[in-house]
Amino acid sequence: MIDIFINNLPILIVTVPLMMSLFVVLVTNSYLSFLLTLATTFITFLIAILLYQEVQSYSSISYALGNWLPPLGIEYIIDHVSIIPIIIISGIGFLATLFAYKIMPSELSDSSISKTYGLWLLAISGLIGLVTTGDAFNLFVFLEISSLASVALVAMGAKQDRQALIAAYNYLIIGAVGATFYVIGVGLIYAITGTLNLADITSKLALMEDNRALIAGFGFMVVGIMVKAAVFPLHIWLPRAYAYAPSAVSILLAATATKASLYILARILFSVFLPSENIVSFTLTYIILPLSVFAMFGGTIMAIYEKDIKRLLAHSSIAQIGYITLAFSIGTKSSVAAGFIHMSNHALIKGGLFMAITSISYYIQKRVTIENLSGLGKAMPITFCCFIICSLSLAGLPLTAGFISKLYLIKSAISSEGLWLSFMILFSSALSLIYLWKMIETLWLSPLNKKDIKIKEKPVIYSSLLLITFLNIYFGLDASLIVNSSFNASNLLLGINK
Amino acid sequence: MITSAMGIWNYWIVFILMMIGLFIVIGRKNLLKKIVGLTIFQTSVFLLYITLGKITGGTAPILTENSSTIYSNPLPHVLILTAIVVGVATTALALALVVRINSIYGSIEEDDISAHDLIDYHDQNNTLKKSILQNSK
Amino acid sequence: MISIENYILLTIISPLLVCILTPFLSNNIFLRDTIGPVGGVFSSWGAIEITRSVLNGEQPTIEIFEIAEGLTISFNISPLGAIFGIVASFLWVFAAIYSVGYMRGKKEKNQTRFFAFYAAAIHAALCIAYSGNLLTLFIFYEILTFSTYPLITHKQDEVAKKSGRIYMTILVGSSILFLLPAIIWVWVTTGTLEMSQNGILSGKLDPKYAPYLLMMFVFGIGKAALIPLHSWLPAAMVAPTPVSALLHAVAVVKAGVFTMLIILTNVFGIQYLADTGSSKWLIGLACITLISTSIIAIYKDDLKARLAYSTISQLSYITLGGALASSYAAQGAALHIVTHAAGKITLFFVAGAIYVGANISKISELNGQGKSMPFIFLAFFIASLSIIGVPPMGGSWSKLFLMMGAVESDYLFVIIVLCISTIMNVYYLMEIPARAFFTKKIKNIDVKIPNLMIIPTMITCLFTIILFFYIEPFKNLTLLMVGK
């Protein structure tokens, strides 16, 4: 019995939230639906941890869906690489659900809560499916499952602010175009290789010269995924979607959604198209590298001039995605590892920041802008402390998780590309301190509004915030877990030759 | 020259449809027309896949006693069946959103909507202007 | 028998404990105000024991934990670190007593928060002093910056906000932009973050890159207040005087120059610097800072601002000593950390005492006040003599060694610069006691200085004299530092 369970873990992690999402929609009681969602995300997280342990001993688990053996059947692969986003998605999914307990009812009407939780689980299952699958077309299906669910979730914010609808619409259209691009790419690659299994594509590509269909297919696939991953300048859907979604949804999406796509991007660049080294290295050096630098500065500068805090954080996400793609674009083992380190750390940081801002808006009952933050540090010390720690982590200051990722990123930049790139990284992270400090300064030094004095922080709200902040510090002090798994991932991804 | 161009006739159609669709998505300001564009764009991809699967002189892939029959590749058809489903879901969601937008903003023209949003964004605390706007609706 | 590792922990953890305990004692004001000095005594005890073992030729090491492979938080006491550690922990005792007097005298708000962050800053400074590798150094360097921010913005008004902004921009900005990549550059080229007595770069880094690496370090260490990066120090003077006294005359700025010196001696190595000549430009920069800030100090009427510029100028003595790359100069620089700390903390104590007792912060208003507070001005006079470098004050030793160092490495113009600066020192420091004692009183003020402020001032003033006669242990430490 247990054997069956263990053997089917790779599919269970996708199907458990998928099936439960259908069930949760039918539950009318909002409290019950919350409990079910919490239980489901918890189970998902447990499965993820079990899988992590499996991966440590077997290094790669291949699961043939419906016993149709790959390359003909659909294959689910869990290895050192894909386990990282799986842990991120399921872990943050659980934390965000825990946090959503009080937040959801404050922003949504009672009748729509269970539907939201249904979509919530659907999004999580789509994202996990996205990273587990080893089949190019199945990947597209999961891409659409997750993004359609996310779009609907964003649109749920319409009760708070009608702009959520526009945000959702733009997200949908741009996302659909991106996904279609990806499908075109898959079609072209299928035409020349005759297979859809990602590993099989690699082995078929190794046998052929670079040709136009391959280049076009590669281009379409990469661009499609870049849209989903919000790589500059294909990020325009992101700030609005994150800013106007219901707060709990913002946390989930900001911490997980782009990470899955970034993982796919890394997989396509380094693993699937490994044989066509020329095209990949050209793309990395001349396209992704400059775009990442633009993203780093563009996102940061946009954030400096932004007054609405949720939008501000969304802009900063674009800059942070820039760091990750920059790490990929350097293309050495240590830099790709740095990218994965930052991927997990950024999920913790952004999750924490969005949670802090959400709790503030919950207490003051308003949209959070810079002016509204005035003096709130005194009224809510715990939230404020967590906010400061997560901010410092974002800026990459010592003893936080963010420092570790910056450290490895700069180290890999210096050892392969030289100093100029590391100056770019550091300059933009110094700039990011400007907008973070603007918020901290207002929270700490400006006078407190009279009606905010009575605010009392509730343990239900700050417990998960404290937890994620603790993780930020913990992984800053004991980074070996993240660092080692990221290096395992990059070793597996880049193979022995680099 | 012409024959070779005509030989890939289907691909020309795919290409033209794709560009038309993409252009509508990017160029039109009407939210509904964008959806139409998106559908055309997606359909062009369906056609691309079907074309890939077609083999000259091939029949439908049905197993008969005559095992030497040439038949078209069935896999792209199956894939496109899935893609159509995804496309339908996308369109449905998009249409639902447009209906909501129309009922809240009273318009589905992008320019009108962004004008409303700009006012919202810059006068977040100015409730007066909002109420005037809502009354005038 | 307490092992030496435990003494290290004692020194470092006492201020941390004070920081943690203070918020819990906010209801019991007496206890809250006592644990500061008590913590200081424990911390100094540890520091003295550590110094003893260093003098015996040991190099105590303790590893706290490993962040990831190759990244450890560890403490390893170098002779220079022992000097800085003893200065910071010893002066903390008196500064803690003094700050109690000041905060009570001024009836400041949020005293609990103030004392907590005060101890936190000392903790960070001590950790910098004892840091065993560049990572630990950098981490606590940043913590020091962040823990002083609440102290600088203590008044929470617009001026504080603005100064806090300048402070953070310069210190955090420079350290992120230059110090961090410089450290990582060292890590990439040498493969280690551990520092060693004779430097770790020789043979690893191509000498033609050395000036650039040094430049990144120099501009990364904003706390050393070299000229383009000096403006945070005058800005930080909005903080209550105990902060200016301990942190911006001793802990923070000395952490800066300490970092600078340890980088010059234990990362580059004096020999490497002398062979490659990569620190030549730094001598020029230090001289420019030295002279120009002395000139600015002359024109400042605000007492604390004048002292701030004087501090900047004195700090560049230390940088200069490192940059001269000779053993005498390095010794002089290390000794200057001690003697300047004792002198400058006394001067700031006096400034604070005058501000609390007579509510005067401008030099021009000091006319004739000498009779109403004779001891205070006497202390100022003596400490000024030490800063100027007149025997029998401690300050004369460090200037002597610096000049010998300049001769040793053949930079005679440096001696001229030092002389000019000394003359300017006389000019801008002596003006204050001169006005107080030899001019007519403008207005009558009731002077009430709390004893808790007078006593620490007198003691630190005494130190400046004692240091002249009791420089031996420090000199031996500096000899160990340069490896003789």
Side-chain angles (χ1 to χ4, degrees):
Chain A
M1 179 62 205
I2 289 180
D3 243 26
I4 296 173
F5 178 69
I6 295 284
N7 288 336
N8 288 309
L9 280 180
I11 187 69
L12 277 176
I13 195 165
V14 183
T15 44
V16 166
L18 189 69
M19 289 303 148
M20 285 306 286
S21 76
L22 299 176
F23 192 61
V24 166
V25 175
L26 299 176
V27 177
T28 44
N29 185 323
S30 60
Y31 183 65
L32 193 64
S33 66
F34 163 75
L35 282 184
L36 279 174
T37 314
L38 190 67
T40 315
T41 45
F42 184 65
I43 292 169
T44 317
F45 185 50
L46 277 186
I47 299 177
I49 289 176
L50 286 175
L51 281 173
Y52 177 79
Q53 278 163 350
E54 293 268 295
V55 165
Q56 294 312 307
S57 40
Y58 299 113
S59 120
S60 175
I61 306 167
S62 164
Y63 181 86
L65 196 63
N67 265 339
W68 292 92
L69 290 181
L72 284 181
I74 292 174
E75 184 190 16
Y76 279 29
I77 297 174
I78 301 203
D79 54 18
H80 283 304
V81 197
S82 62
I83 194 68
I84 295 178
I86 289 176
I87 293 269
I88 296 175
I89 294 162
S90 56
I92 298 285
F94 172 62
L95 272 178
T97 317
L98 199 64
F99 186 71
Y101 171 50
K102 280 278 172 195
I103 301 295
M104 280 283 196
S106 77
E107 292 189 353
L108 295 171
S109 61
D110 211 38
S111 59
S112 56
I113 286 181
S114 60
K115 290 173 207 154
T116 313
Y117 278 124
L119 289 168
W120 177 280
L121 285 177
L122 194 61
I124 291 178
S125 122
L127 289 171
I128 295 180
L130 189 60
V131 293
T132 28
T133 183
D135 181 277
F137 202 82
N138 195 224
L139 202 153
F140 160 73
V141 175
F142 277 119
L143 205 61
E144 281 306 75
I145 290 181
S146 67
S147 65
L148 287 182
S150 315
V151 167
L153 279 173
V154 171
M156 286 292 181
K159 193 184 165 240
Q160 291 285 90
D161 194 317
R162 57 181 179 172
Q163 288 200 54
L165 289 175
I166 305 297
Y169 180 85
N170 284 339
Y171 185 10
L172 177 68
I173 296 292
I174 298 171
V177 171
T180 313
F181 265 66
Y182 173 79
V183 179
I184 298 171
V186 170
L188 292 173
I189 297 296
Y190 176 69
I192 53 171
T193 60
T195 174
L196 286 170
N197 184 296
L198 290 175
D200 204 31
I201 290 178
T202 313
S203 53
K204 292 273 163 53
L205 285 179
L207 304 174
M208 62 178 74
E209 301 272 301
D210 290 356
N211 56 50
R212 267 188 283 176
L214 184 133
I215 295 172
F218 171 77
F220 274 117
M221 276 171 90
V222 168
V223 171
I225 293 297
M226 272 162 74
V227 171
K228 294 283 181 181
V231 177
F232 187 89
L234 304 171
H235 67 276
I236 33 173
W237 57 270
L238 185 141
R240 271 192 167 192
Y242 285 9
Y244 295 107
S247 302
V249 175
S250 305
I251 299 166
L252 183 73
L253 292 187
T256 59
T258 48
K259 305 291 174 303
S261 309
L262 281 170
Y263 157 79
I264 301 296
L265 186 64
R267 180 142 221 158
I268 289 177
L269 286 172
F270 298 116
S271 159
V272 178
F273 286 90
L274 185 69
S276 347
E277 211 175 311
N278 291 335
I279 310 169
V280 174
S281 64
F282 176 86
T283 316
L284 289 177
T285 333
Y286 295 103
I287 296 171
I288 297 189
L289 184 95
L291 286 183
S292 312
V293 174
F294 280 125
M296 266 158 41
F297 284 98
T300 312
I301 289 167
M302 287 295 281
I304 291 175
Y305 288 103
E306 187 59 65
K307 281 194 188 117
D308 186 283
I309 306 288
K310 272 172 89 181
R311 271 198 190 203
L312 187 153
L313 293 179
H315 285 304
S316 113
S317 277
I318 291 157
Q320 300 295 321
I321 292 166
Y323 289 122
I324 300 173
T325 48
L326 181 75
F328 289 160
S329 72
I330 296 171
T332 59
K333 255 182 196 170
S334 63
S335 80
V336 175
F340 278 106
I341 295 172
H342 196 50
M343 205 190 264
S344 21
N345 288 343
H346 178 241
L348 289 176
I349 297 166
K350 262 302 142 52
L353 280 175
F354 266 107
M355 275 188 194
I357 289 303
T358 306
S359 354
I360 291 176
S361 82
Y362 174 80
Y363 293 128
I364 65 172
Q365 298 291 333
K366 266 190 267 186
R367 254 198 104 71
V368 188
T369 58
I370 289 271
E371 291 96 42
N372 288 348
L373 286 179
S374 174
L376 287 174
K378 291 155 215 152
M380 37 184 101
I382 298 175
T383 316
F384 176 56
C385 281
C386 296
F387 182 76
I388 290 189
I389 291 169
C390 293
S391 306
L392 297 185
S393 189
L394 182 69
L397 286 155
L399 299 185
T400 57
F403 178 65
I404 303 296
S405 34
K406 270 249 157 110
L407 199 66
Y408 280 96
L409 183 56
I410 292 164
K411 191 188 173 199
S412 63
I414 288 186
S415 46
S416 60
E417 293 280 324
L419 275 175
W420 70 274
L421 204 57
S422 62
F423 271 123
M424 293 281 197
I425 297 167
L426 288 165
F427 190 57
S428 84
S429 70
L431 281 180
S432 73
L433 260 178
I434 294 180
Y435 61 79
L436 293 171
W437 208 255
K438 212 162 63 180
M439 290 189 274
I440 292 177
E441 211 177 62
T442 330
L443 279 165
W444 159 252
L445 291 174
S446 300
L448 181 63
N449 277 335
K450 278 210 183 92
K451 66 179 174 58
D452 293 335
I453 290 175
K454 275 180 270 168
I455 291 173
K456 279 238 170 67
E457 293 174 291
K458 293 179 190 159
V460 193
I461 307 277
Y462 66 64
S463 51
S464 35
L465 177 61
L466 275 179
L467 197 60
I468 204 166
T469 313
F470 169 76
L471 288 178
N472 264 310
I473 295 179
Y474 178 77
F475 287 118
L477 292 176
D478 182 12
S480 46
L481 181 71
I482 289 184
V483 171
N484 289 343
S485 21
S486 301
F487 271 93
N488 282 340
S490 76
N491 283 342
L492 189 70
L493 205 54
L494 295 181
I496 328 143
N497 49 354
K498 279 193 190 175
Chain B
M1 174 71 196
I2 292 174
T3 43
S4 73
M6 291 300 283
I8 49 170
W9 168 249
N10 271 23
Y11 292 99
W12 281 108
I13 295 292
V14 167
F15 177 71
I16 291 166
L17 279 180
M18 204 180 268
M19 288 306 118
I20 289 173
L22 202 56
F23 176 77
I24 297 174
V25 171
I26 296 166
R28 292 289 132 181
K29 297 280 184 191
N30 187 304
L31 300 187
L32 205 58
K33 286 182 184 164
K34 271 178 190 275
I35 298 175
V36 174
L38 186 67
T39 316
I40 295 173
F41 184 51
Q42 285 175 333
T43 312
S44 74
V45 182
F46 303 161
L47 197 56
L48 172 73
Y49 269 70
I50 302 298
T51 315
L52 289 175
K54 175 69 185 168
I55 291 170
T56 321
T59 62
I62 301 167
L63 205 60
T64 53
E65 280 127 38
N66 185 2
S67 60
S68 64
T69 320
I70 301 170
Y71 54 85
S72 298
N73 186 351
L75 190 67
H77 295 79
V78 179
L79 296 181
I80 285 320
L81 219 53
T82 318
I84 289 173
V85 174
V86 172
V88 168
T90 312
T91 317
L93 186 57
L95 286 173
L97 281 173
V98 171
V99 170
R100 282 293 301 278
I101 289 171
N102 190 33
S103 69
I104 290 185
Y105 283 86
S107 166
I108 52 167
E109 290 295 327
E110 217 169 37
D111 293 341
D112 293 352
I113 293 166
S114 40
H116 280 289
D117 284 347
L118 268 180
I119 295 169
D120 277 8
Y121 182 69
H122 289 290
D123 300 305
Q124 258 158 1
N125 297 323
N126 195 342
T127 41
L128 189 72
K129 256 188 187 168
K130 268 190 193 169
S131 65
I132 293 171
L133 262 172
Q134 265 155 12
N135 288 338
S136 70
K137 243 186 264 169
Chain C
M1 182 63 202
I2 305 173
S3 73
I4 193 70
E5 281 77 21
N6 288 339
Y7 278 120
I8 300 179
L9 289 180
L10 175 74
T11 313
I12 291 168
I13 287 176
S14 326
L16 188 63
L17 267 182
V18 172
C19 165
I20 294 167
L21 285 179
T22 305
F24 293 106
L25 297 173
S26 58
N27 294 326
N28 189 338
I29 290 178
F30 175 75
L31 212 58
R32 179 196 71 190
D33 293 352
T34 337
I35 55 165
V38 171
V41 169
F42 277 104
S43 193
S44 324
W45 175 34
I48 289 171
E49 292 295 331
I50 292 166
T51 314
R52 265 198 200 147
S53 86
V54 172
L55 277 173
N56 289 336
E58 293 170 39
Q59 216 171 27
T61 307
I62 181 170
E63 193 184 309
I64 307 294
F65 61 84
E66 192 173 51
I67 294 181
E69 211 185 326
L71 300 174
T72 51
I73 304 270
S74 68
F75 297 106
N76 175 4
I77 287 120
S78 61
L80 186 61
I83 294 178
F84 180 41
I86 206 162
V87 168
S89 60
F90 222 70
L91 292 179
W92 179 38
V93 181
F94 304 103
I97 300 172
Y98 178 87
S99 58
V100 172
Y102 182 91
M103 296 310 269
R104 286 186 185 171
K106 274 308 242 192
K107 298 191 178 63
E108 294 268 356
K109 285 179 193 160
N110 299 322
Q111 295 195 8
T112 310
R113 186 182 76 207
F114 176 87
F115 289 121
F117 280 106
Y118 203 72
I122 291 295
H123 167 70
L126 285 171
C127 289
I128 292 177
Y130 294 158
S131 55
N133 55 36
L134 288 169
L135 180 78
T136 318
L137 188 74
F138 181 76
I139 288 175
F140 287 102
Y141 184 93
E142 292 292 347
I143 291 181
L144 184 55
T145 314
F146 280 91
S147 59
T148 22
Y149 178 77
L151 297 174
I152 288 173
T153 53
H154 184 76
K155 285 193 179 132
Q156 295 188 303
D157 54 10
E158 276 304 310
V159 186
K161 197 172 175 177
K162 217 170 154 190
S163 308
R165 224 177 257 175
I166 296 174
Y167 182 81
M168 293 309 279
T169 315
I170 293 182
L171 290 189
V172 179
S174 65
S175 69
I176 287 187
L177 269 183
F178 299 109
L179 186 57
L180 185 58
I183 288 174
I184 297 175
W185 189 358
V186 171
W187 190 23
V188 170
T189 42
T190 65
T192 174
L193 285 167
E194 308 287 321
M195 295 178 283
S196 107
Q197 192 80 53
N198 301 316
I200 51 176
L201 283 178
S202 107
K204 297 266 175 60
L205 184 74
D206 192 339
K208 75 178 177 203
Y209 293 123
Y212 302 105
L213 180 59
L214 181 64
M215 210 175 272
M216 280 165 68
F217 271 119
V218 168
F219 291 113
I221 306 169
K223 287 197 170 80
L226 276 170
I227 209 152
L229 301 172
H230 67 284
S231 52
W232 65 269
L233 189 55
M237 289 299 147
V238 293
T241 312
V243 176
S244 315
L246 183 63
L247 301 179
H248 299 121
V250 181
V252 176
V253 290
K254 290 289 146 56
V257 284
F258 167 78
T259 313
M260 189 79 88
L261 266 186
I262 204 103
I263 298 284
L264 287 171
T265 58
N266 285 10
V267 173
F268 283 88
I270 296 176
Q271 201 53 46
Y272 182 78
L273 282 179
D275 292 346
T276 58
S278 43
S279 64
K280 271 181 194 156
W281 63 274
L282 185 56
I283 299 174
L285 184 67
C287 287
I288 293 169
T289 312
L290 214 153
I291 296 292
S292 55
T293 48
S294 294
I295 295 171
I296 298 172
I298 292 173
Y299 289 101
K300 286 287 169 188
D301 190 32
D302 188 279
L303 183 52
K304 275 174 79 181
R306 184 175 289 193
L307 293 180
Y309 278 101
S310 153
T311 308
I312 301 173
S313 137
Q314 298 288 322
L315 291 175
S316 46
Y317 278 54
I318 301 172
T319 312
L320 181 65
L324 281 172
S326 70
S327 45
Y328 276 131
Q331 274 182 286
L335 284 179
H336 204 64
I337 289 185
V338 185
T339 55
H340 174 248
K344 200 38 84 50
I345 199 170
T346 313
L347 296 185
F348 271 109
F349 278 174
V350 170
I354 296 171
Y355 181 56
V356 171
N359 206 10
I360 294 175
S361 60
K362 291 224 179 341
I363 293 165
S364 51
E365 292 169 8
L366 283 174
N367 285 3
Q369 298 294 344
K371 281 177 195 117
S372 47
M373 20 187 173
F375 288 109
I376 286 291
F377 278 105
L378 190 66
F380 193 95
F381 178 67
I382 293 170
S384 303
L385 288 184
S386 174
I387 299 275
I388 293 162
V390 183
M393 309 295 156
S396 51
W397 288 117
S398 44
K399 276 212 176 155
L400 179 70
F401 273 97
L402 277 176
M403 289 192 179
M404 276 156 62
V407 175
E408 190 184 24
S409 47
D410 265 348
Y411 284 105
L412 291 179
F413 84 93
V414 171
I415 297 182
I416 300 167
V417 169
L418 287 177
C419 289
I420 295 173
S421 132
T422 306
I423 294 166
M424 287 202 260
N425 278 343
V426 175
Y427 189 83
Y428 64 74
L429 285 177
M430 280 305 149
E431 184 190 348
I432 294 145
R435 267 180 194 270
F437 287 118
F438 302 118
T439 52
K440 264 193 185 161
K441 213 175 212 176
I442 307 174
K443 50 183 175 180
N444 277 318
I445 301 166
D446 283 340
V447 179
K448 266 184 285 175
I449 304 175
N451 281 338
L452 281 177
M453 297 178 78
I454 295 181
I455 295 166
T457 316
M458 292 301 141
I459 296 173
T460 50
C461 173
L462 213 59
F463 280 147
T464 58
I465 303 173
I466 294 174
L467 276 176
F468 181 78
F469 301 102
Y470 193 67
I471 200 73
E472 197 62 26
F474 292 109
K475 208 186 118 210
N476 291 341
L477 280 174
T478 59
L479 280 176
L480 281 175
M481 178 183 97
V482 296
K484 279 187 183 168

